[in-house]
Amino acid sequence: MEIALSHRIAMTDIFREIDEDIRRDRTVETFRKYGSWFIAAAVLVVALTGAYRWYQQDKQHKAEIAGGQFEAALEASRVGKSAEAEALLTDLVQGAGSGYRDLARFRVASEMGLTSPEKAIKAFDELAADAQLGPLLQGLARLRAAYLVADSASMDELKARVEPLLPAGGAWGSSARELLGLKALKANDFEGAGKYFDAIMTEDAAPQALKQRAELYLSLVRGGAVSAKP
């Protein structure tokens, strides 16, 4: 019985060795047949990994440079060097990534407003028409242009500019209503101004600071309305 058991164990070992030899031979044969493809795939993975790391490092390096240039432009603007600030920002618009490029476009338009409101209005109108910016930034650009034309435009012209911002819940609706209310108040249209400021007070999305200003405006409206009575 012990001899039979030993025989079975020996046969099992032999079969295991044969199986391992077969698998090894298949592996060698497979490598001989497809080895160049395996090597090429491995090289490609290494190359792609290296390229991705380089891309990330290069992207970070460019972002750091763009950030420094943007800060330099803000500092130049702060000390009154508007031309220098505009030149730095224009360079960013042409060469920076989308984040700093969009910031620079808005800042360039703001710098233009200091010397040439007409150019600034055109720049903000172009931003407002740029669908790639998305509704939030487009709305901001539309509002900035409206502020620049507020003194020279008629009430109807101003309404036409900010009308897309007025639907309830919009990000810039409260600010647009403030601008229209101030325009009406300046024209001594106390009833019209009161409606805009009342709308701000009842709007949930309106910032608290804006509601405080609207409350002050309403006191001016009430005082002006009383003075206007015969």
Side-chain angles (χ1 to χ4, degrees):
M1 184 175 180
E2 292 181 359
I3 294 174
L5 180 60
S6 298
H7 179 70
R8 284 198 299 271
I9 293 174
M11 291 300 293
T12 301
D13 291 339
I14 291 172
F15 286 134
R16 184 182 299 115
E17 290 177 6
I18 292 173
D19 188 49
E20 290 176 355
D21 287 341
I22 292 172
R23 286 201 300 268
R24 185 163 51 249
D25 290 342
R26 286 177 178 173
T27 301
V28 170
E29 181 62 26
T30 300
F31 186 78
R32 284 175 180 172
K33 190 174 181 179
Y34 302 107
S36 59
W37 292 100
F38 292 153
I39 293 172
V43 170
L44 180 61
V45 169
V46 172
L48 289 175
T49 301
Y52 177 75
R53 289 178 178 174
W54 175 86
Y55 170 75
Q56 291 293 336
Q57 292 174 354
D58 183 65
K59 184 178 179 181
Q60 181 178 355
H61 179 63
K62 288 180 178 178
E64 290 173 354
I65 293 175
Q69 190 169 342
F70 189 75
E71 289 295 330
L74 294 181
E75 178 61 21
S77 177
R78 188 184 67 81
V79 298
K81 298 180 180 179
S82 184
E84 179 181 338
E86 189 172 335
L88 288 168
L89 292 166
T90 300
D91 185 56
L92 276 177
V93 170
Q94 295 172 350
S98 59
Y100 278 107
R101 182 174 65 244
D102 294 341
L103 284 174
R105 290 175 69 191
F106 271 87
R107 191 68 195 190
V108 165
S110 297
E111 292 297 325
M112 287 178 176
L114 299 176
T115 56
S116 178
E118 294 79 11
K119 289 183 178 180
I121 292 167
K122 182 180 178 181
F124 279 123
D125 282 341
E126 289 175 354
L127 287 166
D130 188 351
Q132 292 185 349
L133 290 175
L136 185 64
L137 291 180
Q138 285 181 276
L140 175 59
R142 181 179 290 275
L143 183 64
R144 294 295 301 275
Y147 272 109
L148 289 171
V149 305
D151 286 336
S152 58
S154 68
M155 188 62 167
D156 288 340
E157 291 171 338
L158 191 59
K159 283 181 181 179
R161 277 189 166 273
V162 302
E163 186 175 7
L165 307 178
L166 295 177
W172 310 112
S174 299
S175 297
R177 275 182 271 278
E178 179 185 31
L179 182 60
L180 291 173
L182 290 172
K183 181 74 172 178
L185 187 60
K186 186 176 181 179
N188 292 329
D189 178 8
F190 301 112
E191 182 179 356
K195 289 180 180 179
Y196 288 120
F197 298 140
D198 281 333
I200 294 173
M201 295 298 294
T202 58
E203 188 173 9
D204 293 336
Q208 188 59 37
L210 182 50
K211 287 188 175 184
Q212 291 174 352
R213 291 201 301 272
E215 189 173 5
L216 176 62
Y217 299 146
L218 284 170
S219 66
L220 296 176
V221 167
R222 288 189 288 268
V226 170
S227 300
K229 287 181 179 180

